[in-house]
Amino acid sequence: MTTKKFTREQVSKYNNKTESVFIIDNVVYDVSKFLDEHPGGHEVLMNQVGKDASEDFEDVGHSIDAKELMKKYVIGEVVEEERIERPKRNQGWEVDNKEQEPSFVNTWKFPVLLGVVVTILYSYLFG
């Protein structure tokens, strides 16, 4: 099965409620049948039809379930010459595995030293 290829100009012509097509990460989606089911309302989708909605889609931060649901609305992809490769965003929940030397404040030594100082001050002022 070959995937249907669309130019960005072709996608821009599908911009009404009966033909609601847009692009997300070079994949073309027809969401006409999903308009009334969209949790954010059909207006959100209608603002993107005929366009590349990649940035807005990522800004919202859709769930894994939403991304899985999208697969059934795929109708093709953008032609090779018009593809736009965007760097994948770091969602913030991935662990940074870089080895870092812990600073004095981030080690066990700081709270111990702070406790000793507070104890000495308390003894001096109230003892």
Side-chain angles (χ1 to χ4, degrees):
M1 182 176 155
T2 59
T3 304
K4 186 169 180 184
K5 304 286 185 177
F6 291 85
T7 64
R8 291 179 180 275
E9 183 179 344
Q10 287 173 313
V11 170
S12 71
K13 294 176 183 174
Y14 297 105
N15 60 4
N16 57 62
K17 200 162 185 171
T18 58
E19 294 179 314
S20 305
V21 176
F22 54 66
I23 302 165
I24 297 176
D25 293 330
N26 298 310
V27 178
V28 181
Y29 298 89
D30 182 349
V31 294
S32 306
K33 295 177 182 167
F34 183 65
L35 291 175
D36 294 329
E37 298 174 33
H38 187 260
H42 72 277
E43 300 88 7
V44 175
L45 296 177
M46 289 305 296
N47 287 337
Q48 299 301 319
V49 296
K51 303 176 190 172
D52 189 326
S54 303
E55 195 169 316
D56 289 328
F57 181 81
E58 288 300 321
D59 286 347
V60 171
H62 286 84
S63 68
I64 294 170
D65 290 338
K67 292 177 182 180
E68 193 64 32
L69 177 67
M70 290 172 53
K71 291 178 182 177
K72 72 181 193 178
Y73 298 104
V74 172
I75 59 167
E77 58 186 41
V78 175
V79 295
E80 205 62 42
E81 309 80 59
E82 295 184 10
R83 289 176 162 265
I84 298 173
E85 297 303 325
R86 291 181 174 81
K88 295 292 180 196
R89 292 185 180 185
N90 182 353
Q91 298 297 328
W93 54 73
E94 294 161 0
V95 177
D96 185 8
N97 289 327
K98 292 180 186 172
E99 291 294 322
Q100 295 180 355
E101 189 66 35
S103 68
F104 179 73
V105 175
N106 293 335
T107 65
W108 60 271
K109 298 172 190 170
F110 179 70
V112 170
L113 180 63
L114 189 60
V116 169
V117 170
V118 169
T119 302
I120 292 171
L121 277 173
Y122 183 81
S123 298
Y124 177 76
L125 294 173
F126 300 107

Short mmCIF file of all heavy atoms in Angstrom, two decimals, residues 8-74:
data_model
loop_
_atom_site.label_atom_id
_atom_site.label_comp_id
_atom_site.label_asym_id
_atom_site.label_seq_id
_atom_site.Cartn_x
_atom_site.Cartn_y
_atom_site.Cartn_z
N ARG A 8 1.75 21.11 0.12
CA ARG A 8 1.16 22.02 1.10
C ARG A 8 0.02 22.84 0.47
O ARG A 8 -0.95 23.16 1.13
CB ARG A 8 2.23 22.92 1.71
CG ARG A 8 3.17 22.11 2.59
CD ARG A 8 4.28 22.93 3.22
NE ARG A 8 5.10 22.05 4.03
CZ ARG A 8 4.84 21.72 5.29
NH1 ARG A 8 3.80 22.23 5.89
NH2 ARG A 8 5.63 20.90 5.96
N GLU A 9 0.15 23.13 -0.81
CA GLU A 9 -0.91 23.85 -1.51
C GLU A 9 -2.19 23.01 -1.58
O GLU A 9 -3.29 23.52 -1.38
CB GLU A 9 -0.46 24.25 -2.92
CG GLU A 9 -1.51 25.07 -3.64
CD GLU A 9 -1.05 25.49 -5.04
OE1 GLU A 9 0.16 25.41 -5.34
OE2 GLU A 9 -1.93 25.89 -5.82
N GLN A 10 -2.05 21.73 -1.85
CA GLN A 10 -3.22 20.85 -1.88
C GLN A 10 -3.91 20.82 -0.52
O GLN A 10 -5.13 20.90 -0.44
CB GLN A 10 -2.81 19.42 -2.28
CG GLN A 10 -2.47 19.26 -3.73
CD GLN A 10 -1.91 17.88 -4.02
OE1 GLN A 10 -1.03 17.39 -3.30
NE2 GLN A 10 -2.40 17.26 -5.08
N VAL A 11 -3.14 20.70 0.54
CA VAL A 11 -3.70 20.66 1.89
C VAL A 11 -4.44 21.96 2.19
O VAL A 11 -5.51 21.95 2.81
CB VAL A 11 -2.60 20.39 2.94
CG1 VAL A 11 -3.12 20.58 4.36
CG2 VAL A 11 -2.03 18.99 2.77
N SER A 12 -3.92 23.07 1.72
CA SER A 12 -4.54 24.37 2.03
C SER A 12 -5.95 24.50 1.44
O SER A 12 -6.74 25.31 1.91
CB SER A 12 -3.67 25.52 1.53
OG SER A 12 -3.68 25.58 0.11
N LYS A 13 -6.28 23.68 0.45
CA LYS A 13 -7.61 23.74 -0.16
C LYS A 13 -8.67 22.97 0.64
O LYS A 13 -9.86 23.16 0.43
CB LYS A 13 -7.53 23.21 -1.60
CG LYS A 13 -6.70 24.12 -2.48
CD LYS A 13 -6.54 23.57 -3.87
CE LYS A 13 -5.64 24.52 -4.67
NZ LYS A 13 -5.32 24.00 -5.97
N TYR A 14 -8.23 22.09 1.53
CA TYR A 14 -9.15 21.33 2.38
C TYR A 14 -9.36 22.09 3.69
O TYR A 14 -8.83 21.73 4.72
CB TYR A 14 -8.58 19.94 2.68
CG TYR A 14 -8.41 19.07 1.48
CD1 TYR A 14 -7.16 18.83 0.94
CD2 TYR A 14 -9.51 18.45 0.90
CE1 TYR A 14 -6.99 18.00 -0.16
CE2 TYR A 14 -9.36 17.62 -0.20
CZ TYR A 14 -8.10 17.41 -0.72
OH TYR A 14 -7.94 16.58 -1.80
N ASN A 15 -10.13 23.14 3.63
CA ASN A 15 -10.22 24.02 4.79
C ASN A 15 -11.66 24.37 5.16
O ASN A 15 -11.97 25.52 5.46
CB ASN A 15 -9.41 25.29 4.56
CG ASN A 15 -9.90 26.06 3.36
OD1 ASN A 15 -10.89 25.71 2.73
ND2 ASN A 15 -9.20 27.14 3.05
N ASN A 16 -12.54 23.38 5.13
CA ASN A 16 -13.92 23.62 5.54
C ASN A 16 -14.38 22.46 6.43
O ASN A 16 -13.64 21.51 6.64
CB ASN A 16 -14.83 23.80 4.32
CG ASN A 16 -14.77 22.61 3.39
OD1 ASN A 16 -15.12 21.50 3.77
ND2 ASN A 16 -14.31 22.85 2.16
N LYS A 17 -15.60 22.55 6.92
CA LYS A 17 -16.07 21.56 7.89
C LYS A 17 -16.25 20.16 7.29
O LYS A 17 -16.10 19.17 7.98
CB LYS A 17 -17.38 22.05 8.52
CG LYS A 17 -17.67 21.37 9.82
CD LYS A 17 -18.69 22.12 10.63
CE LYS A 17 -18.84 21.43 11.99
NZ LYS A 17 -19.62 22.16 12.93
N THR A 18 -16.51 20.07 6.01
CA THR A 18 -16.67 18.75 5.39
C THR A 18 -15.34 18.15 4.94
O THR A 18 -15.25 16.94 4.77
CB THR A 18 -17.65 18.81 4.20
OG1 THR A 18 -17.15 19.75 3.25
CG2 THR A 18 -19.04 19.20 4.65
N GLU A 19 -14.35 19.00 4.73
CA GLU A 19 -13.01 18.54 4.37
C GLU A 19 -12.01 19.29 5.25
O GLU A 19 -11.48 20.32 4.86
CB GLU A 19 -12.72 18.81 2.90
CG GLU A 19 -13.58 18.01 1.94
CD GLU A 19 -13.25 18.33 0.50
OE1 GLU A 19 -13.13 19.53 0.16
OE2 GLU A 19 -13.10 17.37 -0.28
N SER A 20 -11.78 18.74 6.42
CA SER A 20 -10.91 19.39 7.41
C SER A 20 -9.59 18.64 7.47
O SER A 20 -9.46 17.62 8.15
CB SER A 20 -11.58 19.38 8.77
OG SER A 20 -12.85 19.99 8.70
N VAL A 21 -8.61 19.17 6.77
CA VAL A 21 -7.33 18.50 6.63
C VAL A 21 -6.22 19.44 7.11
O VAL A 21 -6.24 20.63 6.83
CB VAL A 21 -7.09 18.10 5.15
CG1 VAL A 21 -5.71 17.48 4.97
CG2 VAL A 21 -8.17 17.13 4.69
N PHE A 22 -5.27 18.88 7.84
CA PHE A 22 -4.09 19.64 8.22
C PHE A 22 -2.89 18.72 8.34
O PHE A 22 -3.00 17.50 8.22
CB PHE A 22 -4.29 20.48 9.48
CG PHE A 22 -4.78 19.73 10.69
CD1 PHE A 22 -4.02 18.77 11.31
CD2 PHE A 22 -6.02 20.03 11.23
CE1 PHE A 22 -4.47 18.10 12.43
CE2 PHE A 22 -6.48 19.38 12.35
CZ PHE A 22 -5.69 18.40 12.96
N ILE A 23 -1.74 19.34 8.59
CA ILE A 23 -0.46 18.63 8.66
C ILE A 23 0.08 18.71 10.07
O ILE A 23 0.05 19.78 10.69
CB ILE A 23 0.57 19.27 7.70
CG1 ILE A 23 0.05 19.27 6.26
CG2 ILE A 23 1.93 18.58 7.81
CD1 ILE A 23 0.82 20.19 5.33
N ILE A 24 0.57 17.57 10.56
CA ILE A 24 1.34 17.56 11.81
C ILE A 24 2.56 16.69 11.57
O ILE A 24 2.43 15.51 11.23
CB ILE A 24 0.52 17.02 13.00
CG1 ILE A 24 -0.69 17.92 13.27
CG2 ILE A 24 1.40 16.89 14.25
CD1 ILE A 24 -1.61 17.42 14.35
N ASP A 25 3.72 17.29 11.71
CA ASP A 25 5.00 16.60 11.49
C ASP A 25 5.04 15.85 10.16
O ASP A 25 5.37 14.65 10.10
CB ASP A 25 5.30 15.65 12.66
CG ASP A 25 5.57 16.41 13.94
OD1 ASP A 25 6.07 17.55 13.87
OD2 ASP A 25 5.26 15.87 15.02
N ASN A 26 4.67 16.54 9.10
CA ASN A 26 4.71 16.04 7.73
C ASN A 26 3.72 14.91 7.44
O ASN A 26 3.79 14.29 6.39
CB ASN A 26 6.13 15.60 7.35
CG ASN A 26 7.10 16.75 7.41
OD1 ASN A 26 6.85 17.82 6.85
ND2 ASN A 26 8.21 16.56 8.09
N VAL A 27 2.81 14.65 8.34
CA VAL A 27 1.75 13.67 8.13
C VAL A 27 0.45 14.44 7.92
O VAL A 27 0.17 15.41 8.63
CB VAL A 27 1.62 12.71 9.34
CG1 VAL A 27 0.48 11.72 9.14
CG2 VAL A 27 2.93 11.97 9.58
N VAL A 28 -0.34 14.02 6.96
CA VAL A 28 -1.59 14.71 6.61
C VAL A 28 -2.76 13.96 7.25
O VAL A 28 -2.89 12.75 7.11
CB VAL A 28 -1.76 14.79 5.08
CG1 VAL A 28 -3.05 15.53 4.73
CG2 VAL A 28 -0.56 15.49 4.45
N TYR A 29 -3.60 14.73 7.97
CA TYR A 29 -4.74 14.17 8.68
C TYR A 29 -6.04 14.77 8.16
O TYR A 29 -6.10 15.98 7.94
CB TYR A 29 -4.65 14.48 10.18
CG TYR A 29 -3.45 13.87 10.85
CD1 TYR A 29 -2.24 14.56 10.91
CD2 TYR A 29 -3.52 12.61 11.43
CE1 TYR A 29 -1.13 14.00 11.53
CE2 TYR A 29 -2.41 12.05 12.06
CZ TYR A 29 -1.22 12.75 12.10
OH TYR A 29 -0.14 12.19 12.72
N ASP A 30 -7.08 13.95 8.04
CA ASP A 30 -8.42 14.43 7.74
C ASP A 30 -9.24 14.22 9.02
O ASP A 30 -9.59 13.09 9.37
CB ASP A 30 -9.05 13.66 6.59
CG ASP A 30 -10.44 14.17 6.22
OD1 ASP A 30 -11.01 14.99 6.98
OD2 ASP A 30 -10.97 13.75 5.18
N VAL A 31 -9.55 15.32 9.70
CA VAL A 31 -10.24 15.24 10.98
C VAL A 31 -11.71 15.62 10.87
O VAL A 31 -12.36 15.92 11.87
CB VAL A 31 -9.54 16.11 12.04
CG1 VAL A 31 -8.15 15.56 12.36
CG2 VAL A 31 -9.45 17.57 11.59
N SER A 32 -12.25 15.59 9.67
CA SER A 32 -13.65 15.97 9.45
C SER A 32 -14.60 15.21 10.37
O SER A 32 -15.53 15.78 10.93
CB SER A 32 -14.05 15.72 7.99
OG SER A 32 -13.16 16.36 7.12
N LYS A 33 -14.37 13.91 10.54
CA LYS A 33 -15.25 13.08 11.35
C LYS A 33 -14.96 13.20 12.85
O LYS A 33 -15.71 12.69 13.67
CB LYS A 33 -15.12 11.62 10.92
CG LYS A 33 -15.61 11.40 9.51
CD LYS A 33 -15.41 9.97 9.07
CE LYS A 33 -15.87 9.83 7.63
NZ LYS A 33 -15.45 8.58 7.03
N PHE A 34 -13.89 13.88 13.19
CA PHE A 34 -13.49 14.02 14.59
C PHE A 34 -13.85 15.39 15.17
O PHE A 34 -13.75 15.60 16.38
CB PHE A 34 -11.98 13.76 14.72
CG PHE A 34 -11.45 13.79 16.12
CD1 PHE A 34 -11.85 12.84 17.04
CD2 PHE A 34 -10.54 14.76 16.52
CE1 PHE A 34 -11.36 12.86 18.34
CE2 PHE A 34 -10.06 14.79 17.81
CZ PHE A 34 -10.45 13.83 18.72
N LEU A 35 -14.28 16.31 14.33
CA LEU A 35 -14.52 17.69 14.77
C LEU A 35 -15.40 17.77 16.01
O LEU A 35 -15.07 18.47 16.98
CB LEU A 35 -15.14 18.52 13.64
CG LEU A 35 -14.23 18.81 12.46
CD1 LEU A 35 -15.02 19.53 11.37
CD2 LEU A 35 -13.03 19.63 12.87
N ASP A 36 -16.54 17.08 16.01
CA ASP A 36 -17.47 17.18 17.13
C ASP A 36 -17.03 16.36 18.34
O ASP A 36 -17.57 16.53 19.43
CB ASP A 36 -18.87 16.75 16.68
CG ASP A 36 -19.45 17.72 15.66
OD1 ASP A 36 -19.12 18.93 15.73
OD2 ASP A 36 -20.21 17.28 14.77
N GLU A 37 -16.05 15.49 18.17
CA GLU A 37 -15.57 14.67 19.28
C GLU A 37 -14.36 15.28 19.98
O GLU A 37 -13.99 14.84 21.06
CB GLU A 37 -15.19 13.28 18.76
CG GLU A 37 -16.35 12.51 18.16
CD GLU A 37 -15.88 11.21 17.52
OE1 GLU A 37 -14.93 10.60 18.03
OE2 GLU A 37 -16.48 10.82 16.50
N HIS A 38 -13.73 16.25 19.37
CA HIS A 38 -12.50 16.82 19.92
C HIS A 38 -12.77 17.44 21.28
O HIS A 38 -13.66 18.30 21.41
CB HIS A 38 -11.92 17.86 18.95
CG HIS A 38 -10.58 18.36 19.37
ND1 HIS A 38 -10.41 19.56 20.02
CD2 HIS A 38 -9.35 17.80 19.25
CE1 HIS A 38 -9.13 19.73 20.27
NE2 HIS A 38 -8.46 18.68 19.81
N PRO A 39 -12.03 17.03 22.32
CA PRO A 39 -12.27 17.53 23.67
C PRO A 39 -12.14 19.05 23.80
O PRO A 39 -12.79 19.66 24.65
CB PRO A 39 -11.19 16.84 24.51
CG PRO A 39 -10.77 15.66 23.72
CD PRO A 39 -10.99 16.01 22.29
N GLY A 40 -11.33 19.67 22.97
CA GLY A 40 -11.15 21.12 23.02
C GLY A 40 -12.16 21.88 22.18
O GLY A 40 -12.10 23.10 22.09
N GLY A 41 -13.09 21.16 21.56
CA GLY A 41 -14.08 21.79 20.70
C GLY A 41 -13.63 21.82 19.26
O GLY A 41 -12.44 21.79 18.97
N HIS A 42 -14.59 21.89 18.35
CA HIS A 42 -14.26 21.85 16.92
C HIS A 42 -13.56 23.13 16.45
O HIS A 42 -12.82 23.11 15.48
CB HIS A 42 -15.51 21.58 16.07
CG HIS A 42 -16.46 22.72 15.99
ND1 HIS A 42 -17.39 22.98 16.96
CD2 HIS A 42 -16.60 23.69 15.05
CE1 HIS A 42 -18.08 24.06 16.61
NE2 HIS A 42 -17.62 24.50 15.46
N GLU A 43 -13.76 24.23 17.17
CA GLU A 43 -13.14 25.50 16.76
C GLU A 43 -11.62 25.40 16.76
O GLU A 43 -10.95 25.98 15.90
CB GLU A 43 -13.55 26.65 17.69
CG GLU A 43 -15.03 26.92 17.74
CD GLU A 43 -15.76 26.08 18.79
OE1 GLU A 43 -15.11 25.36 19.59
OE2 GLU A 43 -16.99 26.11 18.79
N VAL A 44 -11.09 24.68 17.73
CA VAL A 44 -9.64 24.53 17.83
C VAL A 44 -9.09 23.88 16.56
O VAL A 44 -8.10 24.34 16.00
CB VAL A 44 -9.27 23.67 19.06
CG1 VAL A 44 -7.79 23.39 19.13
CG2 VAL A 44 -9.75 24.33 20.34
N LEU A 45 -9.76 22.84 16.11
CA LEU A 45 -9.32 22.15 14.89
C LEU A 45 -9.56 23.02 13.66
O LEU A 45 -8.73 23.08 12.76
CB LEU A 45 -10.02 20.81 14.74
CG LEU A 45 -9.73 19.78 15.83
CD1 LEU A 45 -10.55 18.52 15.60
CD2 LEU A 45 -8.26 19.45 15.89
N MET A 46 -10.71 23.67 13.61
CA MET A 46 -11.05 24.50 12.44
C MET A 46 -10.06 25.64 12.25
O MET A 46 -9.84 26.09 11.12
CB MET A 46 -12.48 25.03 12.55
CG MET A 46 -13.55 23.96 12.37
SD MET A 46 -13.42 23.03 10.82
CE MET A 46 -13.71 24.31 9.62
N ASN A 47 -9.44 26.10 13.33
CA ASN A 47 -8.43 27.16 13.21
C ASN A 47 -7.16 26.67 12.54
O ASN A 47 -6.34 27.47 12.11
CB ASN A 47 -8.09 27.72 14.59
CG ASN A 47 -9.18 28.59 15.14
OD1 ASN A 47 -10.00 29.13 14.41
ND2 ASN A 47 -9.21 28.72 16.46
N GLN A 48 -6.99 25.35 12.45
CA GLN A 48 -5.77 24.78 11.89
C GLN A 48 -5.94 24.15 10.52
O GLN A 48 -4.94 23.84 9.87
CB GLN A 48 -5.22 23.72 12.86
CG GLN A 48 -4.86 24.26 14.22
CD GLN A 48 -3.83 25.36 14.16
OE1 GLN A 48 -2.86 25.29 13.40
NE2 GLN A 48 -4.02 26.40 14.93
N VAL A 49 -7.18 23.93 10.08
CA VAL A 49 -7.38 23.22 8.81
C VAL A 49 -6.74 23.97 7.65
O VAL A 49 -6.72 25.20 7.61
CB VAL A 49 -8.87 22.92 8.52
CG1 VAL A 49 -9.43 21.98 9.57
CG2 VAL A 49 -9.71 24.16 8.42
N GLY A 50 -6.17 23.18 6.76
CA GLY A 50 -5.49 23.74 5.60
C GLY A 50 -4.07 24.20 5.89
O GLY A 50 -3.38 24.69 5.01
N LYS A 51 -3.61 24.02 7.14
CA LYS A 51 -2.30 24.54 7.55
C LYS A 51 -1.43 23.43 8.13
O LYS A 51 -1.86 22.31 8.30
CB LYS A 51 -2.48 25.60 8.65
CG LYS A 51 -3.36 26.76 8.28
CD LYS A 51 -3.52 27.66 9.49
CE LYS A 51 -4.58 28.72 9.27
NZ LYS A 51 -4.85 29.46 10.49
N ASP A 52 -0.22 23.82 8.49
CA ASP A 52 0.67 22.95 9.25
C ASP A 52 0.43 23.25 10.73
O ASP A 52 0.72 24.34 11.21
CB ASP A 52 2.13 23.23 8.89
CG ASP A 52 3.09 22.21 9.49
OD1 ASP A 52 2.82 21.74 10.62
OD2 ASP A 52 4.09 21.90 8.84
N ALA A 53 -0.14 22.29 11.44
CA ALA A 53 -0.52 22.49 12.84
C ALA A 53 0.50 21.89 13.81
O ALA A 53 0.21 21.76 15.00
CB ALA A 53 -1.89 21.85 13.08
N SER A 54 1.67 21.56 13.34
CA SER A 54 2.67 20.88 14.16
C SER A 54 3.00 21.64 15.43
O SER A 54 2.98 21.07 16.53
CB SER A 54 3.96 20.66 13.36
OG SER A 54 3.71 19.95 12.19
N GLU A 55 3.31 22.90 15.30
CA GLU A 55 3.74 23.68 16.46
C GLU A 55 2.61 23.82 17.48
O GLU A 55 2.82 23.62 18.68
CB GLU A 55 4.23 25.06 16.01
CG GLU A 55 5.01 25.77 17.08
CD GLU A 55 5.72 27.00 16.54
OE1 GLU A 55 6.32 26.93 15.45
OE2 GLU A 55 5.67 28.02 17.24
N ASP A 56 1.42 24.14 17.01
CA ASP A 56 0.29 24.28 17.92
C ASP A 56 -0.05 22.95 18.59
O ASP A 56 -0.39 22.91 19.78
CB ASP A 56 -0.94 24.81 17.19
CG ASP A 56 -0.78 26.26 16.79
OD1 ASP A 56 -0.10 27.01 17.53
OD2 ASP A 56 -1.31 26.66 15.74
N PHE A 57 0.06 21.86 17.87
CA PHE A 57 -0.22 20.54 18.43
C PHE A 57 0.76 20.23 19.56
O PHE A 57 0.38 19.77 20.62
CB PHE A 57 -0.13 19.47 17.34
CG PHE A 57 -0.41 18.09 17.84
CD1 PHE A 57 -1.72 17.65 18.00
CD2 PHE A 57 0.62 17.22 18.15
CE1 PHE A 57 -1.99 16.36 18.47
CE2 PHE A 57 0.37 15.94 18.60
CZ PHE A 57 -0.95 15.52 18.77
N GLU A 58 2.03 20.50 19.34
CA GLU A 58 3.04 20.25 20.36
C GLU A 58 2.90 21.19 21.54
O GLU A 58 3.12 20.79 22.68
CB GLU A 58 4.45 20.36 19.77
CG GLU A 58 4.81 19.21 18.87
CD GLU A 58 4.77 17.85 19.55
OE1 GLU A 58 5.19 17.74 20.72
OE2 GLU A 58 4.31 16.90 18.92
N ASP A 59 2.52 22.44 21.30
CA ASP A 59 2.36 23.40 22.39
C ASP A 59 1.29 22.98 23.39
O ASP A 59 1.42 23.24 24.58
CB ASP A 59 2.02 24.80 21.85
CG ASP A 59 3.21 25.49 21.22
OD1 ASP A 59 4.35 25.01 21.41
OD2 ASP A 59 3.01 26.50 20.52
N VAL A 60 0.26 22.32 22.90
CA VAL A 60 -0.83 21.88 23.77
C VAL A 60 -0.37 20.72 24.66
O VAL A 60 -0.83 20.59 25.79
CB VAL A 60 -2.07 21.47 22.94
CG1 VAL A 60 -3.12 20.81 23.79
CG2 VAL A 60 -2.64 22.70 22.25
N GLY A 61 0.54 19.91 24.17
CA GLY A 61 1.03 18.78 24.96
C GLY A 61 0.04 17.63 25.03
O GLY A 61 -0.41 17.24 26.10
N HIS A 62 -0.33 17.10 23.89
CA HIS A 62 -1.30 16.01 23.82
C HIS A 62 -0.77 14.73 24.48
O HIS A 62 0.42 14.47 24.48
CB HIS A 62 -1.67 15.72 22.37
CG HIS A 62 -2.55 16.76 21.77
ND1 HIS A 62 -2.06 17.93 21.24
CD2 HIS A 62 -3.90 16.82 21.66
CE1 HIS A 62 -3.07 18.65 20.79
NE2 HIS A 62 -4.20 18.01 21.04
N SER A 63 -1.68 13.94 25.00
CA SER A 63 -1.34 12.69 25.68
C SER A 63 -0.94 11.63 24.66
O SER A 63 -1.17 11.77 23.46
CB SER A 63 -2.54 12.19 26.48
OG SER A 63 -3.58 11.78 25.59
N ILE A 64 -0.39 10.55 25.18
CA ILE A 64 -0.02 9.42 24.33
C ILE A 64 -1.28 8.83 23.71
O ILE A 64 -1.28 8.43 22.55
CB ILE A 64 0.75 8.36 25.15
CG1 ILE A 64 2.09 8.94 25.58
CG2 ILE A 64 0.94 7.08 24.35
CD1 ILE A 64 2.85 8.10 26.58
N ASP A 65 -2.38 8.79 24.47
CA ASP A 65 -3.65 8.27 23.95
C ASP A 65 -4.13 9.11 22.77
O ASP A 65 -4.61 8.58 21.78
CB ASP A 65 -4.72 8.25 25.03
CG ASP A 65 -4.46 7.18 26.08
OD1 ASP A 65 -3.72 6.22 25.79
OD2 ASP A 65 -4.99 7.33 27.20
N ALA A 66 -4.01 10.43 22.88
CA ALA A 66 -4.42 11.31 21.79
C ALA A 66 -3.59 11.06 20.55
O ALA A 66 -4.11 11.00 19.43
CB ALA A 66 -4.31 12.77 22.22
N LYS A 67 -2.30 10.86 20.74
CA LYS A 67 -1.41 10.61 19.60
C LYS A 67 -1.72 9.26 18.96
O LYS A 67 -1.61 9.10 17.75
CB LYS A 67 0.05 10.70 20.04
CG LYS A 67 0.43 12.13 20.41
CD LYS A 67 1.83 12.24 20.92
CE LYS A 67 2.13 13.69 21.30
NZ LYS A 67 3.46 13.90 21.81
N GLU A 68 -2.13 8.31 19.77
CA GLU A 68 -2.51 7.00 19.25
C GLU A 68 -3.81 7.11 18.45
O GLU A 68 -3.96 6.51 17.38
CB GLU A 68 -2.66 6.02 20.41
CG GLU A 68 -2.76 4.59 20.00
CD GLU A 68 -1.51 4.05 19.32
OE1 GLU A 68 -0.38 4.48 19.62
OE2 GLU A 68 -1.67 3.17 18.45
N LEU A 69 -4.76 7.88 18.96
CA LEU A 69 -6.06 8.08 18.30
C LEU A 69 -5.89 8.74 16.93
O LEU A 69 -6.62 8.45 15.99
CB LEU A 69 -6.97 8.92 19.19
CG LEU A 69 -8.34 9.30 18.64
CD1 LEU A 69 -9.20 8.06 18.49
CD2 LEU A 69 -9.02 10.29 19.57
N MET A 70 -4.91 9.62 16.82
CA MET A 70 -4.68 10.35 15.57
C MET A 70 -4.41 9.43 14.39
O MET A 70 -4.73 9.77 13.25
CB MET A 70 -3.46 11.27 15.71
CG MET A 70 -3.66 12.44 16.60
SD MET A 70 -2.11 13.31 16.88
CE MET A 70 -1.53 13.61 15.24
N LYS A 71 -3.84 8.28 14.66
CA LYS A 71 -3.43 7.37 13.58
C LYS A 71 -4.58 7.00 12.66
O LYS A 71 -4.38 6.77 11.47
CB LYS A 71 -2.77 6.12 14.16
CG LYS A 71 -1.44 6.40 14.81
CD LYS A 71 -0.85 5.15 15.42
CE LYS A 71 0.47 5.46 16.11
NZ LYS A 71 1.03 4.27 16.77
N LYS A 72 -5.79 6.95 13.19
CA LYS A 72 -6.90 6.54 12.34
C LYS A 72 -7.38 7.66 11.40
O LYS A 72 -8.20 7.42 10.53
CB LYS A 72 -8.05 5.97 13.17
CG LYS A 72 -8.85 6.93 13.98
CD LYS A 72 -9.92 6.15 14.75
CE LYS A 72 -10.97 7.03 15.35
NZ LYS A 72 -12.00 6.27 16.04
N TYR A 73 -6.85 8.86 11.55
CA TYR A 73 -7.23 9.98 10.69
C TYR A 73 -6.17 10.32 9.65
O TYR A 73 -6.30 11.28 8.90
CB TYR A 73 -7.56 11.21 11.54
CG TYR A 73 -8.73 10.95 12.47
CD1 TYR A 73 -8.54 10.72 13.83
CD2 TYR A 73 -10.02 10.89 11.97
CE1 TYR A 73 -9.61 10.44 14.66
CE2 TYR A 73 -11.10 10.62 12.79
CZ TYR A 73 -10.88 10.39 14.13
OH TYR A 73 -11.95 10.11 14.96
N VAL A 74 -5.09 9.54 9.59
CA VAL A 74 -4.02 9.76 8.61
C VAL A 74 -4.54 9.45 7.21
O VAL A 74 -5.15 8.41 6.98
CB VAL A 74 -2.80 8.87 8.93
CG1 VAL A 74 -1.76 8.97 7.81
CG2 VAL A 74 -2.20 9.24 10.26
#
